[in-house]
Amino acid sequence: MPNTFYITTPIYYVNSNPHIGHSYTSIAADAVARYQRLKGKEVLFLTGSDEHGQKIVLASQNANLSAQEFIDKIVGNFIGLWDMLCVSYDDFIRTTQKRHIDVVQKALTILYENKDLYLDEYKGWYCVPCETFWPPHSLEDQKEPKKVCPDCKRPIEEIKEKNYFFRLSKYQGWLVEYIKTHPDFIKPPSRRNEVLSFLENPLMDLCISRPKERLSWGVPIPFSEEHVTYVWFDALLNYISGCGYLDKSEKFKKFWPADFHFIGKDILRPHAVYWPIMLHALELEPPKTIFAHGWWLVPSLDKDALGEKMSKSRGNIVDPVGIVKKYGQDAFRFFLLREISFGLDGSYSESSMVNRINSDLANDLGNLLNRTITMVEKYFSSVVPKSATPQNLDSALIEKALGLHKTFCTLMDELDFSASISAIWEVINHANKYIEEAKPWNMSKEKNIDRLSTFIYTLVEVLRIVTISISPFMPNASKNMWHQLGITTPFEKASLEDLSIWGKFPVGTKVERPTPLFPRIKL
Ligand code: MSP
């Protein structure tokens, strides 16, 4: 097994501020990056910003700023949010950086020299917000003279212009065969089927340039004075420019092909169709897995619907900064990853988030930590005692906690964050019941020090295991727990293997004064 791991998020359009949907992809990718680091892997976690194209130009004009001034401002808000959410990316790529522009121009030159690009005149329909050409057959069912974009439903324009095209059609057979023979390439399976059924129709060649007279904010095409690069063709290449493709460096050899591209389901086609063909034409391997997750919706007036899409025009955007200020980054991350299965759509509401915080975080986890530390304080003057021989009640909990390692790894490898969290909570709930059943107050009354020290040691050990396993989801809370438990080894030294070893909690450790981990919230 290679000891490196490369994961990416989409590069976000910096035409407006980030919302909960953007946070979701980054938080999920961050949980995986942290999990892989716990496994001992050398991780490259890449994120960044998509800074070219018409959308950016329109947004900057609306803000009365130059495109560069505008993106510099918005990109700062994205970076600020990632810091706030503890997104531990290793590199941030901006498509206006030289290291990226050079890669785009290199790729264009290779494809042009190999005759995979050609100049042609295009006459047809174009959606400006989506920056997409629509072939006549996709508009067949629209009778009115004014046509709308099949994707975003906004009006589209009829245009005629000379552009460069990429021979997607030449590689269609190869792509279908590749997808069929690589079951892990597109996940979940519903998305794989969607791509395969799309590929049952002939693929149109992809228009990869825009005339400068219509749009100049893009990467110049090296072999044409009159064109810049189509924003999607430019953007997809970030995944290789961000890992050193330009000079085929050691880094590139180490990390390419990427293990995961995390994306939302709306951008499946460019990733699962254009991108692998671009790579194949450049004689590079496709990424190992493209995972398309679902959408966060907001409650709609239609009670039967799961919710409606967030959009500026509907004024229903959920602002992650506000939520984090109110509830903290750990609770927000926990909620997003716990509430729905990765891959499905979910509906965001503040009340369901508060319920999760109160029940799972304040009641179950927070109480377990608080009660345990308070008992170490009360019965052993804050110093963790040595365990005597465990009895049945203790052994059942020990077995449960040690069993977590295997279940947790299997579920995390499958990207089932919600089920991984449930598995951790089974241990937490078992430990809370254990306290009730063991009745430490009686052990204390009877001065049964052996039983009391075994009881306390079992609990702190369980908490050590819980602390490590929640860290991919709640990095701050786990550091806080580590500190309250008094463990002096830096948390960064913890590893997944530590989950399967009983007895690592150093006897004689002095616990800190307990402080509430997640205070209860009144709705
Ligand atoms: N710039 C392109 C990506 C280029 S990658 C080579 C883009 N950017 S985006 O900012 O519009 O969207 C980025 C990601 O946010 C997408 O994966 C998209 O699915 C995700 N989300 C946007 N709204 C969302 C929700 N409401 N819910 C979940 N994720 C959604 O597309």
Side-chain angles (χ1 to χ4, degrees):
M1 285 286 270
N3 209 35
T4 54
F5 186 89
Y6 180 24
I7 185 163
T8 66
T9 71
I11 46 170
Y12 301 99
Y13 280 129
V14 280
N15 60 333
S16 61
N17 283 330
H19 61 64
I20 179 174
H22 306 116
S23 316
Y24 186 47
T25 326
S26 292
I27 289 172
D30 183 60
V32 174
R34 287 175 185 273
Y35 165 70
Q36 293 292 340
R37 290 189 196 112
L38 274 181
K39 258 189 176 175
K41 295 268 172 116
E42 183 183 349
V43 173
L44 174 60
F45 172 14
L46 180 75
T47 190
S49 48
D50 193 351
E51 306 193 342
H52 290 124
Q54 191 107 19
K55 280 190 199 192
I56 305 283
V57 174
L58 289 177
S60 60
Q61 284 166 352
N62 287 340
N64 267 330
L65 292 172
S66 72
Q68 191 65 53
E69 283 165 346
F70 182 75
I71 56 178
D72 286 347
K73 183 173 151 228
I74 304 282
V75 95
N77 297 344
F78 272 84
I79 292 176
L81 179 64
W82 302 152
D83 288 347
M84 203 172 186
L85 291 173
C86 304
V87 175
S88 61
Y89 57 85
D90 299 294
D91 198 354
F92 191 101
I93 186 138
R94 299 182 59 174
T95 54
T96 48
Q97 285 168 341
K98 184 174 181 318
R99 62 170 171 159
H100 177 72
I101 292 171
D102 288 349
V103 165
V104 176
Q105 294 192 326
K106 177 174 166 172
L108 285 165
T109 307
I110 296 174
L111 297 180
Y112 188 61
E113 284 171 359
N114 289 347
K115 311 224 170 341
D116 277 325
L117 302 181
Y118 60 92
L119 189 63
D120 202 0
E121 186 167 82
Y122 179 87
K123 182 168 172 289
W125 294 88
Y126 187 66
C127 173
V128 176
C130 296
E131 308 207 40
T132 304
F133 287 98
W134 290 104
H137 73 77
S138 56
L139 307 168
E140 261 162 17
D141 51 344
Q142 298 194 24
K143 303 279 173 276
E144 319 71 49
K146 274 211 170 305
K147 308 231 180 274
V148 294
C149 169
D151 261 1
C152 73
K153 313 287 178 224
R154 281 176 276 205
I156 48 181
E157 297 168 12
E158 197 166 23
I159 56 162
K160 184 173 145 197
E161 56 190 34
K162 272 203 160 179
N163 269 315
Y164 284 89
F165 287 81
F166 175 43
R167 295 185 198 281
L168 281 188
S169 51
K170 175 176 151 191
Y171 296 100
Q172 179 162 6
W174 167 81
L175 180 62
V176 171
E177 186 56 22
Y178 188 86
I179 298 174
K180 287 191 172 158
T181 51
H182 293 78
D184 287 341
F185 179 50
I186 304 169
K187 282 182 161 179
S190 56
R191 300 291 161 217
R192 179 172 181 260
N193 295 338
E194 189 182 314
V195 175
L196 283 173
S197 76
F198 170 73
L199 288 170
E200 279 166 14
N201 294 315
L203 257 186
M204 302 258 302
D205 287 345
L206 178 70
C207 179
I208 57 101
S209 67
R210 296 294 180 262
K212 276 188 189 161
E213 58 186 33
R214 184 156 70 78
L215 173 73
S216 62
W217 187 245
V219 178
I221 301 248
F223 39 85
S224 166
E225 286 287 304
E226 287 132 53
H227 293 92
V228 294
T229 313
Y230 168 46
V231 67
W232 265 106
F233 186 91
D234 156 4
L236 287 162
L237 287 161
N238 91 86
Y239 300 128
I240 55 171
S241 52
C243 71
Y245 170 69
L246 191 62
D247 43 10
K248 295 249 173 80
S249 61
E250 277 309 306
K251 187 174 173 189
F252 187 73
K253 288 182 203 136
K254 221 158 140 186
F255 289 107
W256 193 260
D259 292 83
F260 282 114
H261 287 334
F262 273 12
I263 58 167
K265 62 180 182 179
D266 51 319
I267 53 173
L268 182 60
R269 197 172 300 170
H271 281 85
V273 178
Y274 311 163
W275 181 225
I277 293 184
M278 284 164 68
L279 287 164
H280 187 62
L282 290 168
E283 295 180 6
L284 295 173
E285 272 184 75
K288 291 179 203 157
T289 299
I290 296 166
F291 191 102
H293 64 68
W295 270 11
W296 280 96
L297 305 168
V298 278
S300 69
L301 292 177
D302 176 359
K303 291 269 177 290
D304 295 329
L306 186 56
E308 62 183 21
K309 201 175 169 240
M310 269 174 254
S311 76
K312 263 202 208 156
S313 52
R314 289 192 184 124
N316 59 3
I317 300 272
V318 179
D319 169 25
V321 175
I323 305 175
V324 172
K325 282 194 179 144
K326 208 160 160 191
Y327 302 112
Q329 64 275 77
D330 282 317
F332 181 53
R333 291 172 60 113
F334 177 81
F335 174 76
L336 292 186
L337 298 176
R338 172 67 183 90
E339 194 69 2
I340 54 167
S341 255
F342 198 52
L344 302 180
D345 288 346
S347 178
Y348 175 82
S349 78
E350 195 164 343
S351 59
S352 44
M353 181 157 148
V354 169
N355 285 339
R356 278 253 169 246
I357 297 177
N358 284 344
S359 67
D360 296 4
L361 299 181
N363 267 5
D364 302 341
L365 176 64
N367 268 347
L368 178 64
L369 179 76
N370 206 279
R371 288 158 100 186
T372 304
I373 295 185
T374 309
M375 288 190 286
V376 186
E377 220 174 26
K378 180 168 166 197
Y379 299 131
F380 293 97
S381 317
S382 298
V383 178
V384 172
K386 188 169 180 297
S387 172
T389 312
Q391 294 187 358
N392 284 350
L393 195 63
D394 318 306
S395 302
L397 177 57
I398 296 173
E399 206 178 298
K400 182 92 196 167
L402 286 177
L404 180 63
H405 180 234
K406 194 158 168 258
T407 324
F408 179 70
C409 292
T410 310
L411 293 168
M412 285 301 281
D413 288 337
E414 287 168 1
L415 307 179
D416 197 340
F417 308 123
S418 181
S420 313
I421 293 175
S422 294
I424 305 171
W425 254 253
E426 278 184 30
V427 176
I428 294 172
N429 293 337
H430 191 135
N432 274 322
K433 270 202 213 106
Y434 168 78
I435 299 180
E436 302 308 320
E437 287 171 15
K439 301 191 177 61
W441 43 94
N442 287 346
M443 298 174 185
S444 161
K445 239 191 268 158
E446 291 157 11
K447 301 236 173 331
N448 193 343
I449 300 303
D450 268 6
R451 281 306 297 135
L452 202 52
S453 43
T454 308
F455 167 80
I456 290 290
Y457 192 81
T458 305
L459 281 177
V460 293
E461 254 306 64
V462 166
L463 276 166
R464 177 186 64 84
I465 288 174
V466 165
T467 306
I468 298 172
S469 47
I470 63 164
S471 66
F473 313 112
M474 297 190 284
N476 274 336
S478 54
K479 278 205 185 117
N480 182 346
M481 287 174 69
W482 205 249
H483 170 75
Q484 292 199 40
L485 288 166
I487 307 177
T488 49
T489 333
F491 184 74
E492 289 66 31
K493 293 229 165 103
S495 79
L496 267 193
E497 266 175 25
D498 295 346
L499 297 184
S500 61
I501 307 167
W502 190 261
K504 286 207 90 174
F505 202 109
V507 170
T509 300
K510 192 164 187 321
V511 297
E512 294 290 323
R513 291 248 51 220
T515 49
L517 201 56
F518 292 98
R520 274 190 76 81
I521 294 161
K522 284 207 186 86
L523 250 187

